[in-house]
Amino acid sequence: MLFTSYEFLGFLLIVFILYYLLPGRAQWSFLLLASYVFYFIADPRYLIFIAITTASTFFAAKLISDKKVSFDVWFKEHKKEYEKDERKALKAKEHAVEKKIFLCCLLFNLGILAVTKYTNFTIANINNIIGAFGNKGTLSFVDLVIPMGISFYTFQSMGYLIDVYNGKFEAQKNPFKFALFVSFFPQLVQGPISRYSDLSQTLFEEHRFEWRTVSFGLERILWGFFKKLVIADRILVPVQAIIGNPDTYSGWYAFAGAMFYALELYADFTGGIDITIGVAETMGIKVTENFIRPYFSKNIKEYWNRWHITMGTWFTDYIFYPISASQFMMKLSKKSRARLGNNLGKRVPVYLSSFIVWFTTGIWHGASWNFIVWGLGNFVVIMVSQELEPFYRWFHSKVNVEYTFGWKLFRVVRTVLIMSSLRMFDCYRDVPLTFKMFGSIFTKSHLSQLNADAFIGMGIAAEDYLVVFLAMLLLVTVSLIQRSGSVRAKIASKAAPVRFIIWYGLFMATLIFGAYGIGYSASQFIYNQF
Amino acid sequence: MIKEYYDDPTDHNVVFIGDCELYENISPVYLWENYGINSYIRGSAQQLIWQSYYLAEETIKQEHPDIIVFNVLSMKYNEPQNEAYNRMSIDGMKWSSSKINNIKASMTEDEHFIDYVFPLLRYHSRWSDLNTDDVEYLFDRNKVSFNGYYMRVDVKPAENVPEGKPLPDYMFGENAYTYLDKLTKLCKDNDVQLILVKAPTLYPYWYPQWDDQIKTYAKKNDLPFINFLEYQDEMGIDWTKDTYDGGLHLNLAGAEKLSKLFGDILTQEYNVPDRRGEEELDKYWDGVIKRYNQEIERQTTNLELYGSVHKPEEKK
């Protein structure tokens, strides 16, 4: 059920009405039912996967949590009976049991994710290796079900498990409440990857109908639809034309394709998240923000703090920090400092951890070398950027431009260009072709390519480009206004006719200029595939 | 055209329901002027049998005609065909259970019910094609039909009419039969005489196997079936003069010939009354006849001046 389908809107309407008709204490149970119905409609087989992840994580976390609590109680009562070393040994023994349970559950669920998403990728690589050695025998691909949103709900569940294991909070005692946390339907498809400590604050609460909350939610949904239907799905057509015909569209066209794709991805993903957050908001539930105007970032590091934030923090908290603080890294740090000196040596474990994180981030996005290279490309850019920090400091000490508008603009444009270039790996069918097309921007661009007819030949008319351009201007304007606070709150403070003109105008613009219905192919949200 | 029906306040004795083989081949004005028959054609292009059924259902709810005439060519379609034709049949209907059921029965795979409720959802992408014609049409209240009849006065002789290609299966589909059964039952339950007809046009080809099935059906259900293809000589149809598109549809001359024969049948065999002299009807028909004659004059003049019934700027 696509977010932009009539079926989803109908489903949402029914859920919304029943949600507020039901007594408050039944609301979260009803949401669980609705979420499972939503997932069932997508494919009944998916339910088995999500149920297994939910059950295994719930019981493992509960077991760990119960053991922690009972051990703490027992330890408080009996600690005086033991010497310091004995107490330490007791704690270590207890921790080892918890660790076993934790690792079993973690590996089991990551195993499901790995098998469903990466089996065929592994087979393809094995076949390549066999082929490289001249062997003609190949392994057959397997036809596996890849449950919708498995990367998102697995990561969300594992985040919860890690937090319980680390003693951040006690495990949820009610399996159905936990099941809702894992399966909450608005964010099941494309995130955000919510933390239990954030989402649980409002997910299980009773919510009464409040017009302001509901209207704010609806406005957010509308804005999401505008981005998705008016911008993303309209610019999608030339993007597909460009990346589908690399022989025809090289040079400036490849550059245009990269820029169009940057716009499409932004409008698509943030639009989808707007719908997710808006839907939750109409029901009084607060879902974590996933974007803070990422294209206004001054560098790639900042960009990644503002783009797909919940994924970034997940990788930082649950992969980067544990790896950095692992015994192996500590030892490596010591050795590298000893051999390479303090300055260079201390960077080795950081960069190695960072490398692992970006490799994992890449492969999380998709089972292909394109995503792996994309992830590592980000790693390289961030590493180079950090290494150049002294140079930047020197440059700014000599040239006084750091706080000028022109320099800020330059940094923003630079970020957009670098990120758009890296994202070309999303677009083209393999890594060599991506490099070739990127190279063509510098070797095959010529002015004759910049003619309107060529762009109109990519499947949309001049009027469509105009619509996209105007919509993009609106997007930038809203982002600029947003810097000083919620745009919706600002609009809400205006007189009723002004509010009406703005929201009705946006509604009609979405209805009229949206790329939907007969004549347009319904386009899945890009991040659904992850 | 479907919408114009609601502007006719009179009660009709005969309602024709079917596809272009009715609305381009029968002239209610001729039937009124020569027989005093108050009739209306509820038809649209490639109107499918379930669409005809729901129009008949709505008609019977709205008024109580003595006779419903159904053209059987649409029996050849067993499934929804084409959104554009669906729209021609359905969009003009007033909202009722008949319209809702018509939509449900007619939708192709790509269509959504909500698009019929809110046409903007369907036609929104036309924003870039809008021109002055759309604005003119927005305010244009001129009727395009004459009690459902679409008039053409020009001539394009029927030459080289293709023979029907052999079909893998000549049996009408189950769904088509279901709706024919429903139409038969609807008329019987409401004491309305149902007459099945096949208009006398040469193409699409009417296969003998199809004809046999309708004859059998009509006999079994005690319904009259008139295949006007068998009455071409009696009507005096001249295929070099009486069609405007090479035999697919009759022009005005041909339609009036068919109307004459049908008028005779309706009055002589079915005792359809002559209602000329009823003040309200006379007044209503005077208006239709006036428009009818004006249209004949307009088309004839255009034909002389431009060689087409349309002015050059109307052909866009």
Side-chain angles (χ1 to χ4, degrees), chain A residues 254-447:
Chain A
F255 175 75
M259 300 314 291
F260 289 167
Y261 182 66
L263 176 64
E264 184 206 341
L265 184 66
Y266 176 79
D268 184 282
F269 194 15
T270 63
I273 293 295
D274 283 333
I275 295 171
T276 294
I277 293 176
V279 169
E281 199 172 353
T282 58
M283 294 184 282
I285 297 160
K286 193 162 170 29
V287 170
T288 317
E289 290 292 342
N290 214 24
F291 298 93
I292 308 172
R293 301 174 296 286
Y295 285 148
F296 288 175
S297 304
K298 292 184 283 297
N299 55 51
I300 302 301
K301 201 174 172 188
E302 184 188 340
Y303 170 88
W304 277 110
N305 288 330
R306 298 167 71 160
W307 171 278
H308 206 347
I309 298 165
T310 56
M311 184 203 70
T313 53
W314 198 99
F315 277 100
T316 307
D317 293 349
Y318 300 126
I319 296 186
F320 181 79
Y321 289 142
I323 290 175
S324 304
S326 67
Q327 284 184 347
F328 170 77
M329 284 298 175
M330 293 298 175
K331 283 178 189 168
L332 182 69
S333 180
K334 266 186 185 174
K335 279 185 184 174
S336 57
R337 279 186 210 199
R339 292 197 178 177
L340 302 168
N342 202 32
N343 195 24
L344 194 60
K346 72 179 180 187
R347 289 183 225 174
V348 172
V350 175
Y351 286 153
L352 183 60
S353 304
S354 191
F355 176 89
I356 294 167
V357 165
W358 281 109
F359 180 87
T360 324
T361 306
I363 206 160
W364 179 86
H365 275 80
S368 83
W369 283 104
N370 285 49
F371 285 113
I372 294 171
V373 175
W374 166 82
L376 296 180
N378 277 281
F379 163 72
V380 170
V381 171
I382 291 171
M383 193 183 71
V384 169
S385 171
Q386 278 186 354
E387 288 303 315
L388 288 175
E389 271 299 319
F391 168 75
Y392 292 142
R393 276 199 297 275
W394 171 83
F395 175 78
H396 288 301
S397 69
K398 301 289 176 193
V399 185
N400 190 22
V401 289
E402 192 172 5
Y403 300 106
T404 62
F405 174 75
W407 182 252
K408 284 178 188 167
L409 186 65
F410 161 74
R411 297 180 79 185
V412 166
V413 171
R414 182 184 62 184
T415 305
V416 171
L417 289 176
I418 292 171
M419 287 317 298
S420 305
S421 303
L422 286 171
R423 283 225 195 82
M424 288 175 78
F425 287 105
D426 283 18
C427 300
Y428 292 101
R429 69 170 177 272
D430 56 39
V431 175
L433 180 63
T434 311
F435 278 117
K436 186 182 161 192
M437 297 316 294
F438 181 70
S440 80
I441 295 173
F442 303 99
T443 57
K444 292 188 177 175
S445 294
H446 45 87
L447 287 174

